[in-house]
Amino acid sequence: MKFHSAAAARACGCATHRLDAQLLASDFTFAPSGSGGNGGSSAPAAAPSALYPVPGFAESTARPSYAPNLVLEPFHMAIRLAFDLRAKRVRGTVTHSVRHNGPAAPSPATASLSRTLVLNAVSLDIAAVTSAGHAVSHTYDGKLLTATWETPFAPDEVRDLTVEYTAEDPIAGLYFCAPLPHEAAERVLHCATDHETERARYWLPCVDFPTVRTSLEFHLTHDAGLVAVANGAEVGVVENADGTKTTSYKLDHRCPSYLLCLAVGEFVTAEDETVDGMPIRYLATKNYTKEQLMLSFGKTPSMVRWLQKKVGHKFPWPKYYQIFTPFGGAMENISLVTYNDMFLIADEIRTREMGYFTDLVNLHEMAHTYFGDLLVVRHFEHAWLKESWATYMESCWLEDHKPKEEFEFDLFGNSEAYFEECNDYVRPIVCRTFNSSWNLFDRHLYPGGAMRIHMLRQILGDEAFWAGVRTYVSRFSGKIVETEDFKRCLEEASGLNLTRFFDQWLYSPGYPKLKATYKYHNDTGLAEVVLSQTQAPDDGSGVPAVFDITVEVDIVGEDGAVHSGAASFDSVIGLRTATVFIPIGKGAKKPLVVEIDPRNKVLHSLEFSPGEDVLGATAKRGRDIRSRIRSYRELIKDGSYTAMKKVKELLPEEPFFGVRNFVYSALSKSKSHASVSILASALHTERNTRALLRLLSNVSFRHPALRDGLLALSALPASETSYLARARVFEALGRQRHPDDVALLLARLADPTELGFQGSIRAGVLRGLGHTQSGRSTRGSARSGDKPASLVAAANRCDTRFCQWPSAHSRRLQATGFAGRRRARRSGAGARRRRRRSPK
């Protein structure tokens, strides 16, 4: 899932998902009837910080969570549903085929597990529970449905359990859109599911944990004029006498409940080419067009081919469908991937502002085909095996299809998103203790885990790394996986013992915080770089005092020659400081370009202030974007007249927009007179769409120097900027609170051409009017039909009149300049999401 991409998060944190996090925190059940602690992972003993609540991440009452026992294991579900979309109701019958996996003579402690099955089922109207040929009783407390057979199962015996029930307007999992006659035409009649992490239970009685995987068959009865899709292959359509029809699908691959998916409604469809015989189709609610679907997903076939080659495994599904709905974020359901329609590319303007991100979300969800769908994590603590992997595959796709700066930019953005969350809490990537499984889908999981996969690739080298990955995918295809499974495959391919790496980077929290100094010895021609690890070793958090890392250092001479060295740290020796001497040559001038870890091999933060001459030269001539960004940041942090003069002179010449993105953020945090002056100048010159979006998100404060640039941008049509850029211009203009701008904003509010995709421009105008705090603005908005007391709230509403952006950001939006306000994304223990993850 993405944000998560966060990604991030990777990967969207919409209002629905925030509610779901609260729901799961309140009714989450770790061990439904016999799924207790002895059902845990076979992985090595977890670090204390993985077993006890991490402050800021989990409440003190949180306890470790373990996968359920599988003495009785459902292995097939036959789901029969009759939909009444306008009533937001579904009548269902689900038949579970259940196999006994236990011994013939169970111990007294486990005897009850041989005749009792507990299903997650929240707020359902249970009509009947039966088992063909067997006596069964049941109890239901509104959350758990406990079925108890009169006689225990024999070894390997299979029985059926059928539940008849009704779900009406479920609070989560199954979402209905049933427009009233007076509502806008954009609201289309349909329903769709979105389950991660544990939301199938709100409309389907099932074991709602990933370790239980079932093959599926669906029989969906609906109005004849509607389209129904679900996991697997379509196996038949029956016209019923009452004017409805029943559409049936079958999935032979075993699927966990969170990847189960269906949608019924008024949909438009677009067929794309097949890949190795696999049909590819795109769907959306009927207010969109086939052309827009092709513009959004047209790269899907080529991505499938690339991914198959990269992983060395053919796509396993009978079809690959992608569908836009207004619900959720983006979700990798087996053979039927769902996307919030905020990712839809409606025209060329949307391509400029959103095409890059939509492509990465597409690739992220597609990567889950292998990492999460074909190989399913045993329990939530191993979720990095899917979300970190899907996030890293985004980076790999950029590496293979874009200039290398885009790849570097993605890696740097992943690191920065992870570091930002570490300001709130630091947890192990493999973590069993949480209040809600949803909380794990944070920036530790998406970008933090992705960077650890990148480090493994650097340690092993491409040949051994990808060989190990292909072995991992092949060996565990169709099975459940744990962290140790992946580790062993990499060890087999490389001959390396990776236990220390996994102990430090996966089972322990934190990362190396480096401090560097640089000195040049003219008499010997030696450059001296001293690196120290400064992360707190004795604060009780479990962060390693010393990470075993090797940090490369490149120094570029005046003649362009590159001189290299490396500093190594060994936790056994325990020294937290390493010094590297790099020969430059006697008589040579002091080199001014210093690049630390220029090939991005080690996840770390860096404190390095070698002086304005080195910082200025590295900002100008550094070969990797991270060295340039760090140099700009240090100059801005210095803040002196000469330092800011360098920034002002060098920034307009910076060739890569991503560097400018991060510099704009650093300038905005500074808010010095010189910083604001540079930002104001950039408003007149920045025309790269992604950089302009980031710039505008960093001028959301009041300052007289900004107004001229904002007015100049407001005079440009969306065709020359973008919908989102235009929205941010109007919002930032409102923040200036200049009395002359109220009339401008009111005129834009009344202009029917100033709407934008999903009302994004109008939402920006409304927020701008709200920020003016002008009584005139509220009177004007009232004439436009909006309640005058809550302009900003109106702009943030997720209805069809206004843009869904304010409440539907994902991990990747922040770093790419698409985010305005939500990069705290999952820094609180109840508001995390998936994907993704943050964009760059």
Side-chain angles (χ1 to χ4, degrees):
M1 183 183 228
K2 184 177 184 69
F3 10 142
H4 104 55
S5 196
R10 157 173 224 159
C12 291
C14 69
T16 297
H17 288 133
R18 292 198 295 275
L19 171 62
D20 294 334
Q22 297 164 7
L23 293 172
L24 289 176
S26 62
D27 68 20
F28 183 74
T29 303
F30 296 133
S33 184
S35 56
N38 58 351
S41 166
S42 61
S49 52
L51 294 176
Y52 296 98
V54 173
F57 171 70
E59 296 174 4
S60 60
T61 55
R63 294 295 179 265
S65 173
Y66 299 93
N69 295 307
L70 298 179
V71 178
L72 295 184
E73 180 181 11
F75 65 90
H76 179 75
M77 277 196 292
I79 303 169
R80 294 171 173 80
L81 302 171
F83 291 90
D84 185 341
L85 296 188
R86 295 199 179 278
K88 300 183 179 181
R89 181 188 306 119
V90 59
R91 289 183 293 106
T93 300
V94 56
T95 298
H96 296 268
S97 298
V98 183
R99 179 188 296 112
H100 183 264
N101 295 325
S107 69
T110 62
S112 65
L113 303 182
S114 296
R115 64 190 191 99
T116 301
L117 179 69
V118 177
L119 304 179
N120 302 103
V122 179
S123 299
L124 303 179
D125 184 0
I126 306 295
V129 178
T130 58
S131 180
H134 300 275
V136 65
S137 61
H138 77 278
T139 61
Y140 180 54
D141 64 2
K143 295 180 180 178
L144 298 176
L145 175 62
T146 303
T148 303
W149 279 268
E150 187 174 286
T151 58
F153 280 60
D156 299 320
E157 182 183 359
V158 173
R159 298 180 186 176
D160 287 345
L161 181 72
T162 299
V163 181
E164 299 175 39
Y165 67 98
T166 300
E168 187 161 352
D169 197 10
I171 196 170
L174 176 62
Y175 303 95
F176 289 88
C177 180
L180 298 173
H182 67 276
E183 291 185 305
E186 289 82 0
R187 292 179 59 82
V188 175
L189 181 68
H190 69 290
C191 70
T193 59
D194 187 36
H195 292 152
E196 191 164 64
T197 54
E198 303 164 56
R199 289 179 288 150
R201 63 185 66 186
Y202 291 96
W203 70 271
L204 176 69
C206 62
V207 181
D208 201 13
F209 296 97
T211 193
V212 173
R213 301 164 301 124
T214 66
S215 53
L216 299 169
E217 59 180 283
F218 298 88
H219 305 282
L220 310 177
T221 299
H222 52 87
D223 290 347
L226 304 180
V227 174
V229 288
N231 306 99
E234 185 177 311
V235 293
V237 179
V238 175
E239 304 286 345
N240 302 316
D242 61 357
T244 63
K245 66 180 180 181
T246 300
T247 307
S248 299
Y249 286 84
K250 184 178 181 183
L251 179 69
D252 293 327
H253 183 84
R254 293 179 67 185
C255 174
S257 57
Y258 82 93
L259 294 174
L260 183 151
C261 183
L262 60 87
V264 178
E266 299 173 325
F267 298 128
V268 61
T269 64
E271 300 281 346
D272 209 331
E273 60 182 296
T274 62
V275 175
D276 297 332
M278 180 181 68
I280 296 175
R281 179 183 295 178
Y282 318 128
L283 301 92
T285 49
K286 69 176 186 178
N287 50 310
Y288 298 113
T289 68
K290 294 181 179 181
E291 292 74 21
Q292 290 172 332
L293 286 170
M294 294 301 297
L295 195 59
S296 304
F297 289 137
K299 294 179 183 175
T300 292
S302 64
M303 286 181 171
V304 170
R305 294 186 181 96
W306 173 83
L307 193 56
Q308 289 183 148
K309 183 177 180 181
K310 200 76 174 178
V311 178
H313 198 286
K314 186 178 182 294
F315 250 56
W317 314 138
K319 69 172 189 292
Y320 194 71
Y321 285 11
Q322 298 170 288
I323 181 170
F324 283 116
T325 76
F327 310 122
M331 187 62 210
E332 66 270 16
N333 315 293
I334 289 178
S335 75
L336 180 58
V337 183
T338 54
Y339 298 82
N340 188 290
D341 59 9
M342 74 174 192
F343 298 122
L344 187 136
I345 306 301
D347 52 33
E348 289 303 320
I349 297 175
R350 282 288 288 173
T351 300
R352 289 201 310 274
E353 70 180 13
M354 195 65 181
Y356 167 89
F357 185 42
T358 294
D359 286 346
L360 290 187
V361 176
N362 189 353
L363 195 285
H364 181 107
E365 305 307 326
M366 189 183 296
H368 278 306
T369 293
Y370 302 103
F371 306 107
D373 295 8
L374 189 62
L375 284 69
V376 178
V377 297
R378 186 183 190 200
H379 201 52
F380 300 112
E381 71 266 28
H382 304 291
W384 81 283
L385 293 175
K386 66 190 198 73
E387 296 301 348
S388 302
W389 253 114
T391 303
Y392 187 58
M393 291 305 288
E394 298 175 39
S395 304
C396 294
W397 186 82
L398 290 171
E399 181 183 28
D400 287 355
H401 293 85
K402 301 290 183 180
K404 77 178 183 68
E405 289 83 5
E406 289 276 12
F407 176 58
E408 293 179 2
F409 182 50
D410 197 67
L411 295 178
F412 184 74
N414 283 340
S415 300
E416 291 292 297
Y418 168 64
F419 295 155
E420 185 181 353
E421 187 170 76
C422 288
N423 292 328
D424 298 319
Y425 60 83
V426 182
R427 70 168 180 87
I429 302 302
V430 179
C431 181
R432 292 196 180 105
T433 303
F434 42 81
N435 294 95
S436 163
S437 56
W438 194 252
N439 294 4
L440 288 170
F441 288 72
D442 57 6
R443 281 179 275 173
H444 281 64
L445 188 69
Y446 287 78
M451 289 306 298
R452 285 158 170 84
I453 294 173
H454 180 68
M455 286 184 62
L456 283 166
R457 179 182 167 192
Q458 303 310 303
I459 292 169
L460 272 67
D462 275 5
E463 182 178 353
F465 175 79
W466 290 111
V469 170
R470 290 173 185 129
T471 297
Y472 169 66
V473 171
S474 175
R475 180 177 299 171
F476 293 99
S477 174
K479 301 176 183 178
I480 58 174
V481 290
E482 299 175 305
T483 297
E484 289 297 299
D485 298 323
F486 178 49
K487 170 178 169 285
R488 292 188 187 102
C489 290
L490 294 184
E491 289 178 331
E492 290 176 17
S494 65
L496 297 175
N497 182 346
L498 296 173
T499 301
R500 185 181 299 183
F501 180 93
F502 275 69
D503 281 352
Q504 291 184 351
W505 290 95
L506 279 307
Y507 298 122
S508 298
Y511 60 92
K513 297 181 178 181
L514 300 182
K515 183 174 182 178
T517 62
Y518 168 60
K519 182 187 299 183
Y520 183 64
H521 300 278
N522 287 294
D523 54 341
T524 61
L526 290 176
E528 177 186 354
V529 177
V530 180
L531 291 170
S532 301
Q533 294 194 31
T534 64
Q535 65 274 10
D538 300 316
D539 61 359
S541 66
V543 175
V546 178
F547 285 85
D548 291 78
I549 55 175
T550 296
V551 181
E552 296 176 350
V553 179
D554 284 356
I555 295 180
V556 184
E558 288 293 315
D559 59 356
V562 179
H563 309 271
S564 301
S568 294
F569 295 86
D570 189 328
S571 60
V572 175
I573 298 174
L575 294 178
R576 291 161 58 84
T577 298
T579 303
V580 56
F581 290 96
I582 302 175
I584 305 299
K586 287 187 178 182
K589 294 177 63 177
K590 177 184 177 181
L592 295 181
V593 176
V594 181
E595 302 167 342
I596 295 176
D597 190 29
R599 283 160 287 281
N600 216 330
K601 293 185 176 182
V602 179
L603 175 64
H604 68 277
S605 64
L606 179 66
E607 182 183 344
F608 181 44
S609 186
E612 287 183 20
D613 55 347
V614 174
L615 293 173
T618 306
K620 181 177 181 178
R621 297 193 288 117
R623 297 165 305 150
D624 65 292
I625 69 163
R626 181 163 63 168
S627 294
R628 302 206 298 273
I629 292 170
R630 285 172 167 173
S631 296
Y632 275 113
R633 283 177 168 176
E634 285 298 324
L635 289 168
I636 295 167
K637 181 179 177 182
D638 179 291
S640 68
Y641 170 79
T642 53
M644 296 307 294
K645 182 180 178 183
K646 289 182 185 294
V647 175
K648 184 176 182 178
E649 292 173 350
L650 293 175
L651 187 58
E653 299 175 4
E654 168 55 49
F656 184 61
F657 82 92
V659 174
R660 302 196 300 274
N661 272 18
F662 281 102
V663 176
Y664 293 148
S665 294
L667 291 166
S668 179
K669 290 177 183 176
S670 167
K671 288 190 175 65
S672 68
H673 177 79
S675 293
V676 175
S677 175
I678 296 170
L679 289 171
S681 296
L683 289 172
H684 292 277
T685 58
E686 184 61 76
R687 291 299 177 264
N688 177 283
T689 301
R690 288 161 66 188
L692 181 60
L693 286 169
R694 169 58 75 91
L695 172 62
L696 288 167
S697 70
N698 282 291
V699 295
S700 56
F701 56 89
R702 187 180 183 186
H703 197 283
L706 300 176
R707 183 170 176 264
D708 285 348
L710 293 170
L711 285 172
L713 283 170
S714 73
L716 298 177
S719 60
E720 295 185 31
T721 54
S722 77
Y723 299 127
L724 292 177
R726 195 152 179 77
R728 291 188 184 176
V729 166
F730 292 133
E731 181 175 4
L733 199 58
R735 288 183 183 274
Q736 306 312 307
R737 298 182 188 172
H738 193 286
D740 293 347
D741 296 336
V742 174
L744 183 153
L745 292 171
L746 288 173
R748 294 294 185 265
L749 183 64
D751 187 345
T753 66
E754 294 282 18
L755 185 60
F757 180 73
Q758 293 183 342
S760 54
I761 297 177
R762 184 167 294 174
V765 173
L766 284 166
R767 285 192 292 267
L769 284 167
H771 291 309
T772 66
Q773 299 185 359
S774 163
R776 183 183 171 198
S777 70
T778 57
R779 289 192 298 274
S781 71
R783 289 193 296 272
S784 298
D786 292 297
K787 297 178 181 179
S790 56
L791 289 173
V792 176
N796 288 340
R797 288 203 304 268
C798 280
D799 64 31
T800 55
R801 288 185 299 157
F802 302 105
C803 175
Q804 296 185 20
W805 275 96
S807 58
H809 286 286
S810 76
R811 179 188 66 80
R812 202 167 270 289
L813 295 181
Q814 177 94 358
T816 26
F818 286 108
R821 59 177 199 145
R822 245 213 103 213
R823 221 24 209 167
R825 184 172 154 227
R826 319 187 150 103
S827 50
R832 342 264 197 219
R833 175 237 134 345
R834 13 168 41 0
R835 273 117 266 306
R836 272 246 43 26
R837 74 160 274 244
S838 289
K840 293 45 188 174

